Amino acid sequence: MFGGYSESKLKPTLKMAVSRFNIASNKKTALMKQQMREIAKLLGERPNPKEEKARIRAEALIRDDGTIEAYEILQLSCELICERIKLITSTKTCPEDLVSTIATLIWASTRVDIKELVDIRKQFRAKYGKKFEQAALNNEGGILNERIVAKLSVQPPTAYLVQTYLEKIADQFEVDWTPTNPLTPDTMAAPMAAPVGYSVAVAGGTGLGGGVSAVGKPDGSVPSAPSFPPPPEAYPVSGSTVGGRQSDDVSEIGNASASILSTMGRGSKKNGSGGNKDTDDDDDDDHNHDDDNTGGGMIPVAEVMTSTPAAGTGTASATADIYIPAAPQNAKEDDIFIPPAPGAKTTGEDGGDNFDDLQARFANLKR
């Protein structure tokens, strides 16, 4: 019959399946060694071991370990059937001692990535019928190999087995690790609990969390966020402190600067007057006017640049504004005096300067 049972097709397929199982087992073994190193690295991270991620990796490791174990048993089953192929071909029904082996191969064809098992399943379906195939897929009467069924099961491993794997990996790679939440007798036989993030550091991306984590809180409670210092208070932008008070007119700063320059100019005028009597009289008048002004007398530059307390406070502050005295309210235009150039001849009279003196004074102003 076309597409029916054929000994010439079944025997080479069984041999190819043996080689495929061997290759798949070696490949998984190499990958599992790398996974074990990654798990050890997760457990060795400080200050917060990635325990939850390591448990998930360990669960996948247990599943791969069971798959390799099942591969080896199925490989043995293929070798046995290959040696008894003549008996299978000569008998109309399945031999009693081979029922479990053949049924297990049919059942495993839907759970492993070995394509040769699909061809083997088709050969036995053509030999023993669809009823035998359905009995094998449904495990009727418990005819399947229990060990292979357990290793290829979709059920997750127990929490005790996962923790045992983690402890052995930590010992093998010499990692100092102890379980954060020891298992209780009620949780040992149950599957591993779902991760809640207790091993995840707070603000781990920026590092501003200071290594704080939710370790010790497997119940899902969220740790409190790290406290940061409050931002510094901003100074007012609208006004400037001029003369010990808040002022909204920034031009007062220019007036105060003009007052300082005029005071310094008067001091230079006294030094350059040569003791003229008219100048001395003007100095006396200036002194009387200065007493009435709010700016007072000549102010040293060091006093202007010194931080002083605001008006009305009476105490100095670490964040006090730079004190600039207010401009005199009744200052005269004649008080603004331009000092003569160094070496120029002065007569003390406004109209006594010649052209050379004016030119030297202009050059002095440009400097």
Side-chain angles (χ1 to χ4, degrees), residues 94-115:
C94 182
E96 292 294 333
D97 57 340
L98 294 178
V99 171
S100 178
T101 303
I102 295 175
T104 301
L105 286 176
I106 295 174
W107 178 85
S109 63
T110 60
R111 287 171 171 79
V112 296
D113 297 331
I114 305 298
K115 60 181 182 179

Side-chain angles (χ1 to χ4, degrees), residues 7-338:
E7 179 183 349
S8 60
K9 292 182 179 180
L10 179 59
K11 188 172 184 179
T13 304
L14 289 170
K15 290 183 178 180
M16 290 178 62
V18 171
S19 299
R20 185 80 66 178
F21 278 124
N22 191 23
I23 294 173
S25 297
N26 294 336
K27 184 177 180 180
K28 281 187 175 293
T29 301
L31 292 175
M32 289 174 64
K33 291 180 179 180
Q34 181 179 356
Q35 293 175 359
M36 290 174 64
R37 287 193 293 268
E38 293 178 357
I39 293 175
K41 185 177 179 180
L42 292 174
L43 295 177
E45 287 191 10
R46 294 295 181 269
N48 302 317
K50 301 298 181 61
E51 183 175 325
E52 289 178 302
K53 183 179 289 189
R55 289 182 182 275
I56 297 175
R57 298 286 181 86
E59 184 173 330
L61 193 67
I62 293 172
R63 192 176 300 279
D64 291 340
D65 222 357
T67 302
I68 292 176
E69 188 175 339
Y71 280 0
E72 294 181 358
I73 299 175
L74 292 173
Q75 182 179 354
L76 295 175
S77 299
C78 291
E79 291 178 354
L80 176 62
I81 295 175
C82 186
E83 292 297 328
R84 297 186 183 182
I85 189 70
K86 295 294 184 180
L87 176 63
I88 294 174
T89 304
S90 61
T91 57
K92 199 170 188 178
T93 59
C94 182
E96 292 294 333
D97 57 340
L98 294 178
V99 171
S100 178
T101 303
I102 295 175
T104 301
L105 286 176
I106 295 174
W107 178 85
S109 63
T110 60
R111 287 171 171 79
V112 296
D113 297 331
I114 305 298
K115 60 181 182 179
E116 285 77 10
L117 288 185
V118 178
D119 297 334
I120 294 173
R121 172 184 171 183
K122 292 179 180 179
Q123 289 291 322
F124 285 120
R125 181 176 60 189
K127 176 68 174 177
Y128 301 121
K130 292 183 179 180
K131 186 177 180 180
F132 182 85
E133 180 187 19
Q134 290 299 323
L137 293 176
N138 298 328
N139 194 18
E140 295 179 359
I143 59 177
L144 300 179
N145 188 315
E146 295 182 357
R147 187 176 179 182
I148 293 180
V149 172
K151 298 303 178 181
L152 297 179
S153 175
V154 295
Q155 297 297 325
T158 61
Y160 175 76
L161 183 59
V162 172
Q163 184 162 314
T164 302
Y165 265 67
L166 292 179
E167 292 176 351
K168 290 185 177 180
I169 291 174
D171 292 341
Q172 180 177 350
F173 290 90
E174 299 180 354
V175 177
D176 185 13
W177 173 81
T178 55
T180 304
N181 303 295
L183 297 177
T184 61
D186 296 335
T187 59
M188 284 186 179
M192 181 185 64
V196 295
Y198 66 86
S199 62
V200 178
V202 178
T206 58
L208 298 178
V212 180
S213 66
V215 175
K217 297 184 178 182
D219 55 351
S221 59
V222 181
S224 58
S227 58
F228 298 100
E233 296 182 359
Y235 291 101
V237 181
S238 59
S240 304
T241 304
V242 180
R245 59 184 179 86
Q246 288 290 335
S247 173
D248 295 330
D249 188 3
V250 183
S251 63
E252 291 188 13
I253 300 179
N255 296 336
S257 301
S259 175
I260 297 172
L261 293 175
S262 64
T263 305
M264 295 173 65
R266 288 194 300 273
S268 300
K269 183 177 179 181
K270 291 179 181 180
N271 295 332
S273 62
N276 189 288
K277 184 178 184 302
D278 296 336
T279 306
D280 295 339
D281 296 337
D282 293 339
D283 292 342
D284 295 338
D285 296 337
D286 293 341
H287 179 71
N288 295 333
H289 292 312
D290 291 341
D291 293 340
D292 298 334
N293 293 339
T294 56
M298 187 170 56
I299 303 174
V301 179
E303 181 181 349
V304 176
M305 300 304 296
T306 305
S307 298
T308 58
T313 58
T315 57
S317 174
T319 60
D321 299 331
I322 296 176
Y323 176 79
I324 301 177
Q329 302 298 326
N330 53 354
K332 295 181 180 180
E333 295 182 359
D334 296 338
D335 292 339
I336 301 177
F337 173 76
I338 301 175

